[in-house]
Amino acid sequence: MAGAAGPGIGPGAAGGDGDDSLYPIAVLIDELRNEDVQLRLNSIKKLSTIALALGVERTRTELLPFLTDTIYDEDEVLLALAEQLGNFTGLVGGPDFAHCLLPPLESLATVEETVVRDKAVESLRQISQEHTPVALEAHFVPLVKRLASGDWFTSRTSACGLFSVCYPRASNALKAEIRQCFRSLCTDDTPMVRRAAASKLGEFAKVLELDSVKSEIVPLFTNLASDEQDSVRLLAVEACVSIAQLLSQDDLEALVMPTLRQAAEDKSWRVRYMVADKFSELQKAVGPKITLSDLIPAFQNLLKDCEAEVRAAAAHKVKELCENLPIEGRETIIMNQILPYIKELVSDTNQHVKSALASVIMGLSTILGKENTIEHLLPLFLAQLKDECPEVRLNIISNLDCVNEVIGIRQLSQSLLPAIVELAEDAKWRVRLAIIEYMPLLAGQLGVEFFDEKLNSLCMAWLVDHVYAIREAATSNLMKLVQKFGTEWAQNTIVPKVLVMANDPNYLHRMTTLFCINALSEACGQEITTKQMLPIVLKMAGDQVANVRFNVAKSLQKIGPILDTEALQEEVKPVLQKLGQDEDMDVKYFAQEAISGIAARARKLDFPVKDSDEPSVPGADKNHFWRPRGPREDTGKGPAYQLHVNTRDTLARLEMAELVLFFPKQRLIPLD
């Protein structure tokens, strides 16, 4: 770590001359020079508190120079420093002294690590808004010039992000210099610098005068869009969106469209991919006239591109393209110029392309209407429902609500049901998991009668799946279905089938019964829980498998708040007390946990655990409490409870003590 403490300031300086006010900066320096990265990082994160303790003048004259001289550290420390300095204006005396923060940030903007440079640029952009106009020209603009003319590409790339924030408030003479600096970066010999300039070209264009955009920015855009590096050309496409929004239709056609047409047919698939990815934004920027004459033919080419990544990106934009077309004549344009290419993509050889199309194609039904949907789109939906790729089928099923609004779900049901069944029984458990997540949506669309007839058995089958994640999701699914169809439906249809599983030979299935009861009890209410579910839970307390018994205890704790006092006292309490004497330590532990949990909610019950808020044993107070011993702590000897310390208040006192030690005789101001 480079840098020195400076005259009279060091770890021992405070005690040497009796000036305790020097102690905070001494501690900071000591920690910043520590070999432990975490200590240095913690010290950097305390900069705002240190600055408050020092005051604005000493922060400017001592702290900032020290930081500027020590910009040689681990990247995570530098990143934290760059972030802290962005909020330091008030700590150095306000906008009149904001320029004092520029030297350390300028150094950070030249380091090798990209994330540190980006954070430094972000902080510089933030601070630039706090400069007075005079200070901006005197301090900030020279900084931008120094970075733009730096020997290393790192400083020049950082400079690209600062032009747009200083240009609007600069004088006319300086504006010309700023534009010249930016032009030189756009033609820099280093590709990384040209990339940075291309990425900020659109942002810079937005703050320029229209004449300057036409005379300077458009030629730069044209050059960057034909750069030898495809990584530069693709960023120029992004800039095209911002530039197109600033120009008239005639200027667009003459100045921008030739370059955009060239980009849509670029030899690099990454550039064509960027055109496809930004297509909706380009469409809005250029307007309907140019969209019809130029963009739709370009979109057709992207939909049949030789690279699957480009076709997939274009397929994702099909719905947005159609929605943004002029309402007058939209249907004709889609049917004649877009739909034929969509039909080809339905049977594409690449599953990612088909999946991308399946995620948006259902949305076309609301645009084309019922007749066109039934005649043209429905065959495509049905073909995708039979696709061999599970993701394609899932994307179709997850967007069924769009078609339901237009033609009704019944017309799809005959083809829909086999696809759902096939997905529900797919060999890949993640596919089964995905279809479970869509089941409540499907249930709402199909209605209770159709659901009971066709899909209810599937939902119950998932409860005994061999994968735990499926059983867990199926349990959550049942709760959502009860919320959708009501408690009467649950009482007649779901609850009886769940309770039958309590007698299943497989203990995992018996445990699933308990999980279902936990989920359903809240949705079904007190009466159904008490009359139908509670007796089964209590019966399972005698299960031979310990895992089932301790899950009984957890279930009783879960449904306890739903039950009335009488049921808790007469039925639940004896069972939990019996489980509390179980031979298995885990069962005993969870039984005691349940007793404690229920007792905390129902203070009137005479359970054998007193509320921790009312200590009645030696050593118990607000910072000490009794809890049951865990399974690994219970040796079978001694009391079943162990005294623990509440560390929250203790830690708070330690942290305050630490601050007092760090800043003696200083008035501490808490930071929000």
Side-chain angles (χ1 to χ4, degrees), residues 537-548:
V537 178
L538 297 176
K539 179 182 176 183
M540 295 176 72
D543 199 281
Q544 295 180 351
V545 178
N547 287 36
V548 177

Side-chain angles (χ1 to χ4, degrees), residues 85-102:
L85 291 177
N87 301 308
F88 243 59
T89 303
L91 299 172
V92 296
D96 291 338
F97 298 95
H99 62 274
C100 296
L101 297 169
L102 299 183

Side-chain angles (χ1 to χ4, degrees), residues 650-663 668 670:
T650 306
L651 285 175
R653 291 197 297 273
L654 287 174
E655 289 173 359
M656 183 56 70
E658 181 186 22
L659 289 174
V660 171
L661 288 172
F662 274 10
F663 312 119
L668 296 179

Side-chain angles (χ1 to χ4, degrees), residues 87 105 133 152 195-196 228 232 303 360 388 414 424 485 529 574 651:
N87 301 308
L105 284 171
W152 292 95
R195 279 204 298 270
E228 61 181 10
V232 176
L303 287 174
V360 298
E388 61 183 9
Q414 291 182 351
F485 291 150
T529 301
L651 285 175

Side-chain angles (χ1 to χ4, degrees), residues 6 25 38 58 86 88 167 305 332 387 399 412 416 438 443 472 479 492 512:
I25 192 66
Q38 190 61 45
R58 293 184 64 198
F88 243 59
Y167 186 86
D305 195 273
T332 303
D387 195 276
N399 290 285
L412 269 177
L416 174 68
Y438 292 128
E472 184 181 37
M479 181 180 67
N492 297 329
T512 302

